[in-house]
């Protein structure tokens, strides 16, 4: 487990497809004084809810799903939903990103919410997380990782054939953003931009230019989740001279503005 200035990372090595990581963006215990509704756009991050008491009704289009105590619920990224919490409810919430070797969210492949009875594991997580969500010993993070692992799709990990891209991927993830582009990486690899793009697409199933953009926006989420940096500073750190251009790109990729993303981490209504 490793923590840095941009948030909490939980590392899970995977020898077959590269290193995975979990970034915990926010967590807390949410008391509901009265019936209240929220509208959550997606994609943004994966949400895990565990109710101490009370309930909620989740609406995905015409589908309605009751979130009741006794089960732990995972809502994958990429799905917009509305939720109505019943008065008197109280629940633990965790906002996270489980990223594969290419820094792609593994839970975005789920598509639908998943509720499971995790028994003592969920109880241990909530006890360690604490009544106020702080967790006196802060030993709840490994338990959250274990809970999230229970929901991981079987084929969630991006397969990378061969070793040829591991060094390039590690370099990009170390310097996410910073004006990196296909031409600069091609020079580093001693290839033409077309040749590198074709090889990367063939080996990973993703376009190199698209992957670079998504990786930069992943880094933007991490910086925004920290909460201390103004949006303009986040844009500058990612190599965007124009903060308004950064905001447009962020919304295009993430589905919401940087400010709305920060509000969503704090469980504020986005209506």
């Amino acid at each position: 487990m490793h923590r840095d200035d941009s948030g909490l990372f939980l590392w899970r090595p995977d020898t077959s497809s590269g290193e995975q990581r979990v970034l915990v963006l926010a967590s807390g215990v949410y008391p509901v004084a009265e019936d209240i509704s929220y509208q959550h756009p997606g994609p943004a991050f994966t949400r895990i809810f565990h109710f101490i008491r009370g309930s909620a009704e989740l609406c995905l289009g015409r589908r309605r799903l009751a979130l009741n105590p006794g089960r732990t619920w995972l809502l994958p990224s990429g799905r917009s939903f509305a939720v109505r919490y019943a008065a008197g409810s109280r629940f633990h919430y965790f906002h996270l990103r489980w990223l594969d070797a290419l820094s792609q969210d593994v839970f975005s492949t789920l598509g639908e919410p998943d509720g499971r009875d995790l028994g003592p594991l969920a109880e241990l997580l909530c006890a360690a997380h604490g009544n106020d969500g702080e967790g006196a010993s802060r030993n709840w993070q490994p338990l959250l990782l274990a809970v999230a692992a229970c929901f991981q799709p079987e084929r969630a990990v991006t397969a990378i054939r061969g070793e040829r891209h591991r060094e390039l991927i590690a370099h990009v993830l170390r310097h996410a953003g910073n004006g990196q582009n296909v031409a600069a990486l091609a020079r580093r690899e001693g290839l033409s931009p077309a040749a590198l793009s074709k090889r990367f697409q063939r080996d990973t199933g993703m376009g190199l230019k698209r992957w670079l953009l998504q990786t930069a926006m992943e880094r933007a989420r991490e910086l925004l989740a920290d909460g201390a940096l103004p949006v303009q500073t986040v844009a500058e750190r990612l190599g965007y001279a124009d903060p308004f251009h950064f905001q447009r790109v962020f919304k295009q990729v993430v589905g919401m503005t940087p400010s709305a993303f920060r509000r969503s981490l704090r469980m504020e209504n986005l209506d």
Side-chain angles (χ1 to χ4, degrees):
M1 185 170 64
H2 169 69
R3 182 180 178 86
D4 70 8
D5 292 339
S6 64
L8 175 68
F9 292 86
L10 301 177
W11 298 89
R12 179 175 180 267
D14 186 291
T15 56
S16 65
S17 58
E19 195 171 59
Q20 297 183 52
R21 60 196 177 112
V22 177
L23 170 64
V24 181
L25 300 173
S27 71
V29 176
Y30 197 89
V32 182
E34 57 185 2
D35 289 354
I36 189 169
S37 296
Y38 285 88
Q39 181 69 41
H40 296 287
F45 43 81
T46 296
R47 300 166 173 90
I48 291 179
F49 293 110
H50 185 84
F51 280 84
I52 302 171
R53 61 176 181 269
S55 62
E57 183 181 62
L58 184 73
C59 300
L60 296 113
R62 295 182 179 180
R63 183 183 176 196
R64 294 180 180 273
L65 185 65
L67 308 185
N68 296 317
R71 297 178 74 83
T72 302
W73 292 88
L74 182 141
L75 280 63
S77 61
R79 290 300 305 269
S80 299
F81 66 93
V83 61
R84 182 172 182 81
Y85 299 105
S89 296
R90 188 179 179 87
F91 60 88
H92 293 259
Y93 70 88
F94 307 90
H95 298 161
L96 58 89
R97 303 278 293 172
W98 186 310
L99 307 174
D100 65 13
L102 286 175
S103 201
Q104 304 300 298
D105 190 332
V106 303
F107 290 116
S108 63
T109 62
L110 283 180
E112 295 292 334
D114 190 355
R116 302 189 182 189
D117 182 358
L118 300 181
L121 179 59
E123 295 174 5
L124 285 170
L125 171 61
C126 292
H129 193 225
N131 292 330
D132 57 1
E134 291 298 327
S137 62
R138 297 193 63 81
N139 62 350
W140 54 266
Q141 295 95 341
L143 291 167
L144 176 60
L145 180 60
V147 166
C150 294
F151 296 92
Q152 188 178 23
E154 290 182 3
R155 304 181 65 84
V157 179
T158 303
I160 304 176
R161 295 192 294 271
E163 297 290 328
R164 69 175 77 185
H165 297 295
R166 290 190 184 276
E167 186 178 342
L168 180 147
I169 290 168
H171 170 77
V172 170
L173 295 181
R174 282 196 304 270
H175 307 284
N178 296 327
Q180 294 189 94
N181 54 49
V182 175
L185 292 176
R187 287 193 297 272
R188 185 178 185 275
E189 298 293 304
L191 297 169
S192 70
L196 178 60
S197 296
K198 183 177 181 180
R199 180 181 293 183
F200 192 88
Q201 173 77 48
R202 182 180 64 242
D203 291 346
T204 69
M206 290 191 65
L208 180 54
K209 184 176 181 180
R210 172 171 166 262
W211 177 66
L212 287 172
L213 177 60
Q214 292 187 351
T215 302
M217 292 303 103
E218 195 63 59
R219 176 60 174 158
R221 293 183 217 231
E222 297 170 11
L223 293 172
L224 289 166
D226 181 60
L229 297 177
V231 173
Q232 182 172 349
T233 303
V234 172
E236 291 172 353
R237 289 197 178 185
L238 292 173
Y240 286 86
D242 182 357
F244 296 105
H245 177 53
F246 164 72
Q247 292 182 55
R248 288 193 296 271
V249 173
F250 186 89
K251 184 175 182 179
Q252 178 184 1
V253 175
V254 178
M256 62 179 72
T257 65
S259 297
F261 176 74
R262 272 183 165 158
R263 291 200 303 273
S264 68
L265 291 176
R266 298 192 295 267
M267 293 292 293
E268 294 181 22
N269 203 336
L270 302 180
D271 286 338

